[in-house]
Amino acid sequence: MHLDPNHSRADWHANHEAQRERLSAWLDGALPAEERAALEAHLATCAACQRELDGLRQVRALLRALPDPTPPRPFLLPLDGELAMPAPPTSHIARPAGMRVAPRRWPRRAQRLGGLAAALGLALLGTSALLGGHHGADSAATTAMSSSYAPAVGAGASTVTADARVPADSGQQHAPAGAPAPTPASRTVDGAPTVSEAAPPFVPLAGGGLLAGGLILLVGGSLADRRAPGHTTD
Amino acid sequence: MRDDAQASEQTEERELITRSQGGDRAAFNALVTRYQGAAYALALRMLGEPETAADVTQEAFLSAFRHLGAFRGASFRAWLLRIVSNGCLDIFRARARHPTTSLDALTEAGEGPPTGGLLDDGRLPALLSDAAWDPERAALRRETIASIEAALLCLPAEQRLAVILSDVQGLPYEEIARVMETPIGTVKSRIARARAHLRALLDARGELSASRERHSMGGDDEK
């Protein structure tokens, strides 16, 4: 509802959430010019909105004042050698036996491709072990390979296109984020390389294929993963 | 002058990206150095767990390096933070599927988001008053920081992400929209809700006069 200075106080407050959104946007200098003057005129006379605005401003100030956290480890790439595969973030969660991994397009196809992906996956795991990993104790040899890498090699171009991942810029196609649960996002996150839940663990073999590992990097990179967000307008 | 400085920094970044796309890890490491603070801060504020956040950040950089060939956009920062936030959202989804297990793991590790009781019990200081600030250093007190971090973790993921990107990272709405792949209107709405939600959580004692008005202004904070 487009408001102007002639609207009554009741009009401004008819929709509390909309008014809060206007105040919040105004705070960020993101209110359209034509609405700005009207809101400022209203603010001059409305103590309730001034207090709401103050509250929003104070929360923003607190967030801005949060100190920068210190990362527990460095993130620089090693300049030589194979890139170590970090332990998938979800490895911290103990998995009950027989847990069924929820379907994700990439891992499914990787699983179907079986041998090739597994072999290449093993090679990468092997090289990671050789490099001693970058995650110390976390990087258990039995940690499952992150599925964001293996499928890039094994899946092949045909399955990527057949997958028809929603391009990242078609924001309309994302499910609304009104998730019933308090924290998880309900929309499918597409278009970006994912730090995904691991596929069922590959059993690691001793030794690695440095050559194969290098091949993965080469081939994986050249497949120019459709899942990278950059392939859409950005 | 400021625009010139920004423009040359942009050019320099373009150069680093181009070299990184060619496999130049040292060039990419310059980008890592530039953005690792923001990337890790985003992950940590989203997840509340330093080690998991570091894992997500590490994997995000690796992923970014591997997929740089596909990066075409104007903002490397937005692209990188999108990878980080996707990583965080993946974790939430995984844990939502197996909540009992996650909770056990978190309890064991001594980390994880607080239960609602922490913020409901009224023992928190009035965070929005001057007492929250350390007079010596004009910095927030440790307990205030902890309270804010805890409150953030109580927000729905999308609200949390929007307000972190806006108020902790300082991104403009347009860039947030790119990171979150949602329209700007949605970004505005989530930020407003998040701020109001945080204020309600942090205003434990209702000492602000604004809190008395809250009932007349209050709306649905979900989403």
Side-chain angles (χ1 to χ4, degrees):
Chain A
M1 176 175 146
H2 187 85
L3 294 169
D4 64 54
N6 294 322
H7 277 101
S8 69
R9 190 176 186 279
D11 291 323
W12 283 102
H13 296 174
N15 183 334
H16 297 152
E17 215 175 282
Q19 179 65 348
R20 176 195 297 147
E21 205 174 297
R22 276 183 220 108
L23 292 169
S24 179
W26 181 87
L27 194 61
D28 295 323
L31 201 62
E34 59 271 16
E35 291 190 48
R36 199 181 307 149
L39 181 64
E40 287 170 4
H42 170 75
L43 268 174
T45 64
C46 180
C49 283
Q50 285 169 20
R51 281 190 288 271
E52 177 77 10
L53 187 62
D54 275 343
L56 296 172
R57 189 184 279 122
Q58 286 174 34
V59 169
R60 187 179 71 165
L62 284 172
L63 290 169
R64 282 176 167 180
L66 280 176
D68 294 332
T70 306
R73 63 182 103 107
F75 302 119
L76 298 170
L77 301 182
L79 292 180
D80 298 305
E82 305 308 321
L83 291 177
M85 296 296 296
T90 51
S91 67
H92 288 102
I93 302 169
R95 291 202 162 76
M99 182 197 87
R100 184 174 170 278
V101 174
R104 288 184 68 90
R105 301 244 174 105
W106 282 98
R108 279 296 157 104
R109 281 174 169 74
Q111 289 165 39
R112 288 194 200 112
L113 288 162
L116 177 62
L120 292 167
L122 291 175
L124 258 183
L125 259 183
T127 57
S128 160
L130 282 175
L131 286 170
H134 278 231
H135 285 253
D138 287 342
S139 200
T142 51
T143 299
M145 168 79 75
S146 164
S147 60
S148 59
Y149 296 102
V153 181
S158 59
T159 53
V160 172
T161 52
D163 206 9
R165 284 196 146 241
V166 176
D169 64 352
S170 50
Q172 319 309 323
Q173 300 187 38
H174 290 289
T183 49
S186 63
R187 66 181 175 89
T188 305
V189 178
D190 293 303
T194 56
V195 174
S196 57
E197 161 175 76
F202 295 104
V203 177
L205 285 179
L210 282 172
L211 184 63
L215 183 65
I216 292 173
L217 290 175
L218 208 61
V219 177
S222 72
L223 276 176
D225 204 330
R226 296 300 181 90
R227 295 146 75 232
H231 81 281
T232 61
T233 58
D234 183 3
Chain B
M1 266 313 147
R2 190 161 179 265
D3 286 341
D4 284 348
Q6 263 186 334
S8 70
E9 196 178 277
Q10 279 262 326
T11 312
E12 189 209 324
E13 185 162 294
R14 283 264 134 220
E15 170 73 25
L16 289 172
I17 291 171
T18 304
R19 282 162 53 195
S20 301
Q21 285 169 332
D24 184 343
R25 295 189 192 181
F28 188 76
N29 279 344
L31 292 170
V32 172
T33 302
R34 181 173 299 184
Y35 291 113
Q36 63 183 349
Y40 177 71
L42 173 60
L44 182 65
R45 304 280 176 233
M46 283 296 288
L47 298 169
E49 298 166 24
E51 284 301 317
T52 313
D55 285 345
V56 169
T57 306
Q58 178 111 54
E59 183 124 355
F61 277 120
L62 278 170
S63 199
F65 182 68
R66 290 174 188 280
H67 299 125
L68 252 184
F71 169 67
R72 310 236 182 290
S75 173
F76 178 79
R77 176 174 67 171
W79 188 67
L80 176 68
L81 293 181
R82 193 188 311 174
I83 300 172
V84 174
S85 60
N86 286 350
C88 297
L89 296 173
D90 279 353
I91 288 181
F92 293 148
R93 268 196 292 273
R95 291 181 178 178
R97 283 191 286 270
H98 309 287
T100 307
T101 309
S102 307
L103 195 56
D104 288 345
L106 292 172
T107 305
E108 266 180 276
E111 295 176 317
T115 62
L118 175 65
L119 289 163
D120 290 342
D121 67 4
R123 281 181 294 153
L124 291 178
L127 292 167
L128 303 185
S129 73
D130 290 339
W133 301 76
D134 183 332
E136 295 297 325
R137 289 172 292 133
L140 293 179
R141 295 185 190 283
R142 189 168 300 133
E143 48 282 14
T144 303
I145 293 168
S147 300
I148 298 168
E149 291 172 334
L152 273 172
L153 294 171
C154 291
L155 299 183
E158 302 289 1
Q159 281 185 31
R160 190 186 318 169
L161 180 56
V163 81
I164 289 171
L165 291 170
S166 169
D167 294 350
V168 179
Q169 304 277 344
L171 267 62
Y173 284 14
E174 294 74 18
E175 199 165 342
I176 297 173
R178 262 186 252 134
V179 174
M180 298 185 70
E181 298 178 84
T182 56
I184 287 190
T186 307
V187 170
K188 282 188 193 182
S189 169
R190 287 174 180 170
I191 291 172
R193 290 172 186 253
R195 285 169 173 165
H197 198 156
L198 286 171
R199 183 169 152 247
L201 288 168
L202 296 173
D203 189 19
R205 301 236 182 101
E207 291 190 19
L208 282 190
S209 55
S211 73
R212 291 182 217 120
E213 294 293 325
R214 202 166 58 219
H215 296 297
S216 63
M217 293 292 296
D220 174 33
D221 273 326
E222 275 315 303
K223 189 182 192 257

